[in-house]
Amino acid sequence: MAIFRVRTTRAPESSASRPEEPPLSSHLPAQVRGISGPWLVRFNACPAEAAEELLRHCCASPRWAHRVAAHRPYPDLDALLAAASEASYDLSPQELAGALAAEDPSDLDHRAPYAAQLALHAAHAEYERLFGHAFVICLAGVPPQEHTDAVLSGIQSRLGNSPEEERAVAADELRRLAGARLARLVELSVAPGAEKGADPSGAPELVRFAPVG
């Protein structure tokens, strides 16, 4: 799996205007959806400071992390993802810019063709020149064999956006990334043998996000 970070969509003006979409957990195994798992149990119980620090690995906005942590406890993954998504919509332009500044540019698998690597490098440079931040994209649910095409086609198409349009797209990608990263933590915690390392306050390996897609 691979997580690619990206600037995302503008916050809709009201919850009624937000588009319907499948839950971010829909790409996870059935046994993960709708459950708490050991990680979520510990996340609900850990100190607020520890919870917010972990959440900032999913989205670097301090206000977003504070809001998500403040609404604990969460009964299951779906409730956590819903709260994370709701908090993402309320980021101010300045908060969004700060969260995006912490994101790394998307990358391709090292096995991707050299020509594709060069094309992405050139596109990254142009994207950052136009929009002032790195291009990142959430590939949750995209089959691994399609990642290269998704990243290259995504950045090429978004180079044609106006700054306002791209800010909106980037805000939505950031929201999806935060949800995918949270879902990945819960997924890891219910994997066989994962319980020992599922404590949010004592398992730094769980916040070094391996590619999620």
Side-chain angles (χ1 to χ4, degrees), residues 103-129:
E103 293 290 330
D104 295 327
S106 59
D107 201 358
L108 298 179
D109 187 279
H110 69 278
R111 294 165 294 186
Y114 182 62
Q117 303 279 4
L118 287 178
L120 182 60
H121 179 77
H124 271 158
E126 178 64 6
Y127 182 95
E128 294 193 23
R129 184 188 71 80

Side-chain angles (χ1 to χ4, degrees), residues 132-146:
H133 56 74
F135 171 85
V136 200
I137 187 169
C138 179
L139 298 181
V142 177
Q145 65 271 22
E146 298 178 15

Side-chain angles (χ1 to χ4, degrees), residues 15 118 176 187:
S15 58
L118 287 178
R176 295 181 64 237
E187 180 185 15

Side-chain angles (χ1 to χ4, degrees), residues 190-197:
V190 298
E195 172 134 5
K196 183 178 180 182

